[in-house]
mmCIF file of all heavy atoms in Angstrom:
data_model
loop_
_atom_site.group_PDB
_atom_site.id
_atom_site.type_symbol
_atom_site.label_atom_id
_atom_site.label_comp_id
_atom_site.label_asym_id
_atom_site.label_seq_id
_atom_site.Cartn_x
_atom_site.Cartn_y
_atom_site.Cartn_z
ATOM 1 N N ILE A 20 0.858 -1.180 0.000
ATOM 2 C CA ILE A 20 0.000 0.000 0.000
ATOM 3 C C ILE A 20 0.896 1.231 0.000
ATOM 4 O O ILE A 20 1.710 1.419 0.915
ATOM 5 C CB ILE A 20 -0.934 0.016 1.226
ATOM 6 C CG1 ILE A 20 -1.752 -1.270 1.279
ATOM 7 C CG2 ILE A 20 -1.843 1.233 1.169
ATOM 8 C CD1 ILE A 20 -2.656 -1.473 0.081
ATOM 9 N N VAL A 21 0.762 2.065 -1.023
ATOM 10 C CA VAL A 21 1.612 3.248 -1.154
ATOM 11 C C VAL A 21 0.728 4.489 -1.177
ATOM 12 O O VAL A 21 -0.509 4.410 -1.312
ATOM 13 C CB VAL A 21 2.474 3.188 -2.427
ATOM 14 C CG1 VAL A 21 3.419 1.997 -2.379
ATOM 15 C CG2 VAL A 21 1.604 3.134 -3.673
ATOM 16 N N ILE A 22 1.391 5.659 -1.052
ATOM 17 C CA ILE A 22 0.700 6.940 -1.096
ATOM 18 C C ILE A 22 1.106 7.648 -2.385
ATOM 19 O O ILE A 22 2.294 7.847 -2.649
ATOM 20 C CB ILE A 22 1.061 7.812 0.120
ATOM 21 C CG1 ILE A 22 0.645 7.110 1.411
ATOM 22 C CG2 ILE A 22 0.405 9.179 0.027
ATOM 23 C CD1 ILE A 22 1.057 7.857 2.658
ATOM 24 N N GLY A 23 0.129 8.014 -3.200
ATOM 25 C CA GLY A 23 0.430 8.687 -4.450
ATOM 26 C C GLY A 23 -0.829 8.923 -5.252
ATOM 27 O O GLY A 23 -1.951 8.813 -4.759
ATOM 28 N N ASP A 24 -0.632 9.260 -6.542
ATOM 29 C CA ASP A 24 -1.751 9.545 -7.435
ATOM 30 C C ASP A 24 -2.017 8.306 -8.282
ATOM 31 O O ASP A 24 -1.378 8.077 -9.318
ATOM 32 C CB ASP A 24 -1.400 10.749 -8.321
ATOM 33 C CG ASP A 24 -2.623 11.320 -9.024
ATOM 34 O OD1 ASP A 24 -3.551 10.547 -9.307
ATOM 35 O OD2 ASP A 24 -2.634 12.537 -9.284
ATOM 36 N N ALA A 25 -2.979 7.496 -7.857
ATOM 37 C CA ALA A 25 -3.277 6.246 -8.547
ATOM 38 C C ALA A 25 -3.820 6.466 -9.955
ATOM 39 O O ALA A 25 -3.387 5.787 -10.898
ATOM 40 C CB ALA A 25 -4.257 5.418 -7.707
ATOM 41 N N PRO A 26 -4.739 7.412 -10.187
ATOM 42 C CA PRO A 26 -5.236 7.602 -11.566
ATOM 43 C C PRO A 26 -4.135 7.996 -12.548
ATOM 44 O O PRO A 26 -4.143 7.547 -13.701
ATOM 45 C CB PRO A 26 -6.280 8.718 -11.407
ATOM 46 C CG PRO A 26 -6.739 8.625 -9.993
ATOM 47 C CD PRO A 26 -5.514 8.218 -9.225
ATOM 48 N N ARG A 27 -3.181 8.825 -12.102
ATOM 49 C CA ARG A 27 -2.102 9.228 -13.009
ATOM 50 C C ARG A 27 -1.161 8.063 -13.302
ATOM 51 O O ARG A 27 -0.653 7.928 -14.410
ATOM 52 C CB ARG A 27 -1.329 10.408 -12.421
ATOM 53 C CG ARG A 27 -2.145 11.672 -12.258
ATOM 54 C CD ARG A 27 -2.755 12.116 -13.569
ATOM 55 N NE ARG A 27 -3.626 13.280 -13.389
ATOM 56 C CZ ARG A 27 -4.403 13.774 -14.341
ATOM 57 N NH1 ARG A 27 -4.428 13.194 -15.536
ATOM 58 N NH2 ARG A 27 -5.180 14.822 -14.106
ATOM 59 N N LEU A 28 -0.905 7.214 -12.306
ATOM 60 C CA LEU A 28 -0.081 6.026 -12.558
ATOM 61 C C LEU A 28 -0.781 5.102 -13.548
ATOM 62 O O LEU A 28 -0.149 4.555 -14.465
ATOM 63 C CB LEU A 28 0.208 5.297 -11.246
ATOM 64 C CG LEU A 28 0.974 3.984 -11.379
ATOM 65 C CD1 LEU A 28 2.333 4.201 -12.049
ATOM 66 C CD2 LEU A 28 1.157 3.326 -10.010
ATOM 67 N N ARG A 29 -2.106 4.929 -13.384
ATOM 68 C CA ARG A 29 -2.863 4.107 -14.337
ATOM 69 C C ARG A 29 -2.803 4.732 -15.727
ATOM 70 O O ARG A 29 -2.677 4.012 -16.738
ATOM 71 C CB ARG A 29 -4.307 3.976 -13.856
ATOM 72 C CG ARG A 29 -5.187 3.146 -14.797
ATOM 73 C CD ARG A 29 -6.630 3.197 -14.334
ATOM 74 N NE ARG A 29 -6.804 2.498 -13.081
ATOM 75 C CZ ARG A 29 -7.066 1.184 -12.972
ATOM 76 N NH1 ARG A 29 -7.164 0.455 -14.076
ATOM 77 N NH2 ARG A 29 -7.230 0.629 -11.811
ATOM 78 N N GLN A 30 -2.882 6.062 -15.802
ATOM 79 C CA GLN A 30 -2.820 6.747 -17.094
ATOM 80 C C GLN A 30 -1.467 6.530 -17.768
ATOM 81 O O GLN A 30 -1.391 6.345 -18.991
ATOM 82 C CB GLN A 30 -3.081 8.242 -16.886
ATOM 83 C CG GLN A 30 -3.232 9.039 -18.164
ATOM 84 C CD GLN A 30 -3.597 10.491 -17.882
ATOM 85 O OE1 GLN A 30 -3.756 10.891 -16.739
ATOM 86 N NE2 GLN A 30 -3.739 11.275 -18.935
ATOM 87 N N ILE A 31 -0.374 6.541 -16.991
ATOM 88 C CA ILE A 31 0.964 6.301 -17.551
ATOM 89 C C ILE A 31 1.065 4.892 -18.107
ATOM 90 O O ILE A 31 1.498 4.669 -19.252
ATOM 91 C CB ILE A 31 2.026 6.549 -16.468
ATOM 92 C CG1 ILE A 31 2.086 8.034 -16.097
ATOM 93 C CG2 ILE A 31 3.405 6.076 -16.938
ATOM 94 C CD1 ILE A 31 2.947 8.320 -14.886
ATOM 95 N N LEU A 32 0.681 3.922 -17.285
ATOM 96 C CA LEU A 32 0.793 2.520 -17.710
ATOM 97 C C LEU A 32 -0.132 2.242 -18.886
ATOM 98 O O LEU A 32 0.251 1.543 -19.843
ATOM 99 C CB LEU A 32 0.470 1.605 -16.523
ATOM 100 C CG LEU A 32 0.676 0.108 -16.742
ATOM 101 C CD1 LEU A 32 2.120 -0.185 -17.135
ATOM 102 C CD2 LEU A 32 0.306 -0.675 -15.481
ATOM 103 N N ALA A 33 -1.361 2.795 -18.846
ATOM 104 C CA ALA A 33 -2.305 2.572 -19.944
ATOM 105 C C ALA A 33 -1.785 3.184 -21.236
ATOM 106 O O ALA A 33 -1.943 2.598 -22.322
ATOM 107 C CB ALA A 33 -3.662 3.165 -19.580
ATOM 108 N N GLY A 34 -1.156 4.367 -21.157
ATOM 109 C CA GLY A 34 -0.617 4.988 -22.356
ATOM 110 C C GLY A 34 0.477 4.153 -22.996
ATOM 111 O O GLY A 34 0.536 4.027 -24.223
ATOM 112 N N LEU A 35 1.341 3.546 -22.184
ATOM 113 C CA LEU A 35 2.419 2.709 -22.734
ATOM 114 C C LEU A 35 1.874 1.409 -23.312
ATOM 115 O O LEU A 35 2.331 0.942 -24.374
ATOM 116 C CB LEU A 35 3.455 2.425 -21.639
ATOM 117 C CG LEU A 35 4.252 3.633 -21.133
ATOM 118 C CD1 LEU A 35 5.215 3.218 -20.033
ATOM 119 C CD2 LEU A 35 5.026 4.287 -22.268
ATOM 120 N N ILE A 36 0.883 0.797 -22.619
ATOM 121 C CA ILE A 36 0.311 -0.453 -23.143
ATOM 122 C C ILE A 36 -0.443 -0.178 -24.437
ATOM 123 O O ILE A 36 -0.334 -0.933 -25.419
ATOM 124 C CB ILE A 36 -0.615 -1.090 -22.089
ATOM 125 C CG1 ILE A 36 0.193 -1.483 -20.850
ATOM 126 C CG2 ILE A 36 -1.305 -2.317 -22.663
ATOM 127 C CD1 ILE A 36 -0.661 -2.019 -19.715
ATOM 128 N N ASP A 37 -1.220 0.901 -24.461
ATOM 129 C CA ASP A 37 -1.969 1.249 -25.668
ATOM 130 C C ASP A 37 -1.023 1.530 -26.827
ATOM 131 O O ASP A 37 -1.279 1.121 -27.963
ATOM 132 C CB ASP A 37 -2.834 2.474 -25.373
ATOM 133 C CG ASP A 37 -3.663 2.879 -26.579
ATOM 134 O OD1 ASP A 37 -4.617 2.168 -26.910
ATOM 135 O OD2 ASP A 37 -3.333 3.926 -27.190
ATOM 136 N N ASN A 38 0.087 2.204 -26.558
ATOM 137 C CA ASN A 38 1.075 2.474 -27.606
ATOM 138 C C ASN A 38 1.700 1.182 -28.113
ATOM 139 O O ASN A 38 1.923 1.020 -29.323
ATOM 140 C CB ASN A 38 2.154 3.407 -27.053
ATOM 141 C CG ASN A 38 3.197 3.772 -28.097
ATOM 142 O OD1 ASN A 38 2.969 4.595 -28.958
ATOM 143 N ND2 ASN A 38 4.370 3.137 -27.994
ATOM 144 N N ALA A 39 1.994 0.246 -27.193
ATOM 145 C CA ALA A 39 2.590 -1.034 -27.603
ATOM 146 C C ALA A 39 1.617 -1.847 -28.449
ATOM 147 O O ALA A 39 2.002 -2.459 -29.464
ATOM 148 C CB ALA A 39 3.017 -1.816 -26.357
ATOM 149 N N ILE A 40 0.321 -1.880 -28.054
ATOM 150 C CA ILE A 40 -0.669 -2.636 -28.833
ATOM 151 C C ILE A 40 -0.834 -2.028 -30.219
ATOM 152 O O ILE A 40 -0.934 -2.731 -31.232
ATOM 153 C CB ILE A 40 -2.015 -2.661 -28.079
ATOM 154 C CG1 ILE A 40 -1.880 -3.484 -26.791
ATOM 155 C CG2 ILE A 40 -3.123 -3.224 -28.960
ATOM 156 C CD1 ILE A 40 -3.118 -3.466 -25.933
ATOM 157 N N LYS A 41 -0.827 -0.693 -30.286
ATOM 158 C CA LYS A 41 -1.056 0.006 -31.552
ATOM 159 C C LYS A 41 0.060 -0.253 -32.551
ATOM 160 O O LYS A 41 -0.180 -0.367 -33.758
ATOM 161 C CB LYS A 41 -1.188 1.500 -31.275
ATOM 162 C CG LYS A 41 -1.568 2.336 -32.491
ATOM 163 C CD LYS A 41 -1.634 3.801 -32.117
ATOM 164 C CE LYS A 41 -2.658 4.034 -31.021
ATOM 165 N NZ LYS A 41 -2.772 5.474 -30.683
ATOM 166 N N PHE A 42 1.309 -0.379 -32.079
ATOM 167 C CA PHE A 42 2.451 -0.502 -32.991
ATOM 168 C C PHE A 42 3.026 -1.910 -33.033
ATOM 169 O O PHE A 42 4.161 -2.095 -33.453
ATOM 170 C CB PHE A 42 3.548 0.491 -32.580
ATOM 171 C CG PHE A 42 3.182 1.925 -32.831
ATOM 172 C CD1 PHE A 42 2.637 2.693 -31.815
ATOM 173 C CD2 PHE A 42 3.344 2.483 -34.083
ATOM 174 C CE1 PHE A 42 2.284 4.005 -32.041
ATOM 175 C CE2 PHE A 42 3.000 3.803 -34.307
ATOM 176 C CZ PHE A 42 2.454 4.572 -33.290
ATOM 177 N N THR A 43 2.250 -2.911 -32.583
ATOM 178 C CA THR A 43 2.716 -4.298 -32.652
ATOM 179 C C THR A 43 1.732 -5.095 -33.495
ATOM 180 O O THR A 43 0.550 -5.247 -33.113
ATOM 181 C CB THR A 43 2.828 -4.926 -31.251
ATOM 182 O OG1 THR A 43 3.691 -4.109 -30.464
ATOM 183 C CG2 THR A 43 3.401 -6.326 -31.332
ATOM 184 N N GLY A 44 2.183 -5.589 -34.632
ATOM 185 C CA GLY A 44 1.301 -6.345 -35.519
ATOM 186 C C GLY A 44 1.004 -7.726 -34.984
ATOM 187 O O GLY A 44 -0.150 -8.170 -34.945
ATOM 188 N N ASP A 45 2.032 -8.439 -34.563
ATOM 189 C CA ASP A 45 1.848 -9.758 -33.959
ATOM 190 C C ASP A 45 3.007 -10.017 -33.015
ATOM 191 O O ASP A 45 4.009 -9.306 -33.020
ATOM 192 C CB ASP A 45 1.775 -10.850 -35.035
ATOM 193 C CG ASP A 45 3.008 -10.834 -35.947
ATOM 194 O OD1 ASP A 45 3.958 -10.057 -35.652
ATOM 195 O OD2 ASP A 45 3.027 -11.564 -36.943
ATOM 196 N N GLY A 46 2.826 -11.020 -32.181
ATOM 197 C CA GLY A 46 3.887 -11.342 -31.236
ATOM 198 C C GLY A 46 3.415 -11.187 -29.808
ATOM 199 O O GLY A 46 2.382 -11.749 -29.417
ATOM 200 N N PHE A 47 4.108 -10.401 -29.025
ATOM 201 C CA PHE A 47 3.822 -10.338 -27.585
ATOM 202 C C PHE A 47 4.026 -8.919 -27.053
ATOM 203 O O PHE A 47 4.670 -8.080 -27.692
ATOM 204 C CB PHE A 47 4.746 -11.284 -26.830
ATOM 205 C CG PHE A 47 6.208 -10.924 -26.962
ATOM 206 C CD1 PHE A 47 6.810 -10.015 -26.085
ATOM 207 C CD2 PHE A 47 6.991 -11.466 -27.980
ATOM 208 C CE1 PHE A 47 8.133 -9.682 -26.207
ATOM 209 C CE2 PHE A 47 8.323 -11.129 -28.107
ATOM 210 C CZ PHE A 47 8.904 -10.223 -27.219
ATOM 211 N N ILE A 48 3.469 -8.704 -25.878
ATOM 212 C CA ILE A 48 3.703 -7.496 -25.080
ATOM 213 C C ILE A 48 3.933 -7.959 -23.649
ATOM 214 O O ILE A 48 3.034 -8.559 -23.042
ATOM 215 C CB ILE A 48 2.521 -6.517 -25.145
ATOM 216 C CG1 ILE A 48 2.319 -6.016 -26.582
ATOM 217 C CG2 ILE A 48 2.758 -5.333 -24.205
ATOM 218 C CD1 ILE A 48 1.079 -5.154 -26.739
ATOM 219 N N ASN A 49 5.124 -7.722 -23.136
ATOM 220 C CA ASN A 49 5.490 -8.151 -21.784
ATOM 221 C C ASN A 49 5.576 -6.931 -20.869
ATOM 222 O O ASN A 49 6.243 -5.943 -21.191
ATOM 223 C CB ASN A 49 6.839 -8.871 -21.781
ATOM 224 C CG ASN A 49 6.769 -10.195 -22.534
ATOM 225 O OD1 ASN A 49 5.709 -10.829 -22.588
ATOM 226 N ND2 ASN A 49 7.886 -10.606 -23.128
ATOM 227 N N ILE A 50 4.912 -7.030 -19.737
ATOM 228 C CA ILE A 50 4.942 -5.972 -18.726
ATOM 229 C C ILE A 50 5.629 -6.526 -17.487
ATOM 230 O O ILE A 50 5.208 -7.571 -16.952
ATOM 231 C CB ILE A 50 3.522 -5.493 -18.378
ATOM 232 C CG1 ILE A 50 2.814 -4.986 -19.640
ATOM 233 C CG2 ILE A 50 3.575 -4.393 -17.317
ATOM 234 C CD1 ILE A 50 1.355 -4.660 -19.421
ATOM 235 N N GLN A 51 6.678 -5.875 -17.052
ATOM 236 C CA GLN A 51 7.430 -6.290 -15.865
ATOM 237 C C GLN A 51 7.417 -5.148 -14.853
ATOM 238 O O GLN A 51 7.753 -4.007 -15.191
ATOM 239 C CB GLN A 51 8.872 -6.659 -16.227
ATOM 240 C CG GLN A 51 8.972 -7.879 -17.142
ATOM 241 C CD GLN A 51 10.414 -8.189 -17.517
ATOM 242 O OE1 GLN A 51 11.200 -7.280 -17.746
ATOM 243 N NE2 GLN A 51 10.746 -9.465 -17.583
ATOM 244 N N ALA A 52 7.036 -5.474 -13.624
ATOM 245 C CA ALA A 52 6.951 -4.475 -12.552
ATOM 246 C C ALA A 52 7.844 -4.914 -11.399
ATOM 247 O O ALA A 52 7.620 -5.981 -10.806
ATOM 248 C CB ALA A 52 5.506 -4.299 -12.083
ATOM 249 N N GLY A 53 8.856 -4.111 -11.099
ATOM 250 C CA GLY A 53 9.788 -4.418 -10.011
ATOM 251 C C GLY A 53 9.658 -3.419 -8.878
ATOM 252 O O GLY A 53 9.289 -2.259 -9.078
ATOM 253 N N CYS A 54 9.965 -3.869 -7.692
ATOM 254 C CA CYS A 54 9.893 -3.018 -6.506
ATOM 255 C C CYS A 54 11.215 -3.115 -5.754
ATOM 256 O O CYS A 54 11.712 -4.229 -5.499
ATOM 257 C CB CYS A 54 8.731 -3.453 -5.611
ATOM 258 S SG CYS A 54 8.546 -2.454 -4.119
ATOM 259 N N PHE A 55 11.777 -1.971 -5.401
ATOM 260 C CA PHE A 55 13.055 -1.932 -4.686
ATOM 261 C C PHE A 55 12.918 -0.971 -3.510
ATOM 262 O O PHE A 55 12.389 0.128 -3.646
ATOM 263 C CB PHE A 55 14.185 -1.478 -5.617
ATOM 264 C CG PHE A 55 14.356 -2.361 -6.818
ATOM 265 C CD1 PHE A 55 13.741 -2.038 -8.020
ATOM 266 C CD2 PHE A 55 15.093 -3.532 -6.731
ATOM 267 C CE1 PHE A 55 13.887 -2.845 -9.118
ATOM 268 C CE2 PHE A 55 15.246 -4.351 -7.833
ATOM 269 C CZ PHE A 55 14.642 -4.016 -9.036
ATOM 270 N N GLY A 56 13.387 -1.419 -2.360
ATOM 271 C CA GLY A 56 13.247 -0.623 -1.157
ATOM 272 C C GLY A 56 14.347 0.414 -0.997
ATOM 273 O O GLY A 56 15.499 0.198 -1.364
#
């Protein structure tokens, strides 16, 4: 549980995924999320 702007983080991630889907004809889209203390 973190403190921040959740809608803006969703907007960032959605923009990158939407861009990847738009410019990928076939194959894959891999999303990796890492956390470091």
Side-chain angles (χ1 to χ4, degrees):
I20 304 298
V21 298
I22 299 176
D24 194 330
R27 296 303 176 188
L28 176 59
R29 179 186 292 272
Q30 188 176 359
I31 292 171
L32 186 58
L35 294 179
I36 296 175
D37 181 72
N38 182 77
I40 293 175
K41 186 182 301 182
F42 290 95
T43 304
D45 56 7
F47 63 87
I48 297 174
N49 293 331
I50 302 173
Q51 295 178 321
C54 180
F55 301 95

